[in-house]
Amino acid sequence: DALQSGNCSVGLNINLGSNNIGTEGAKSIAKALQSGKCPNGLNIGLGYNYIGAEGAKAIADALQSGNCPAGLNIIFNGNNVG
């Protein structure tokens, strides 16, 4: 909800690596990214979170939505999406 509030600072860094957010967590992040309210320069670390193919697709769909912030950087290593 915080990412969708429109109150986050430009260049925000969020490291959620190794927090087991899974598919549902990835879907929540995707929803936030699609909201169009995330700050420019957002950096999100999602490494080693058991996101899987379904969660990766949700993030990919968000990236293709055209609503993601400029300068978005997502670290996605170690999620066995393939």
Side-chain angles (χ1 to χ4, degrees), residues 4-31:
Q4 296 179 63
S5 71
N7 295 321
C8 294
S9 61
V10 172
L12 178 66
N13 293 301
I14 301 172
N15 184 0
L16 298 173
S18 299
N19 275 292
N20 299 320
I21 67 167
T23 298
E24 293 308 310
K27 287 179 179 179
S28 293
I29 290 169
K31 182 180 175 184

Side-chain angles (χ1 to χ4, degrees), residues 16-17 20-27 29 44-60 74-82:
L16 298 173
N20 299 320
I21 67 167
T23 298
E24 293 308 310
K27 287 179 179 179
I29 290 169
I44 305 175
L46 297 176
Y48 300 97
N49 269 300
Y50 303 100
I51 287 172
E54 188 178 345
K57 181 171 182 344
I59 299 267
I74 301 175
I75 299 170
F76 212 76
N77 60 311
N79 277 295
N80 299 319
V81 296

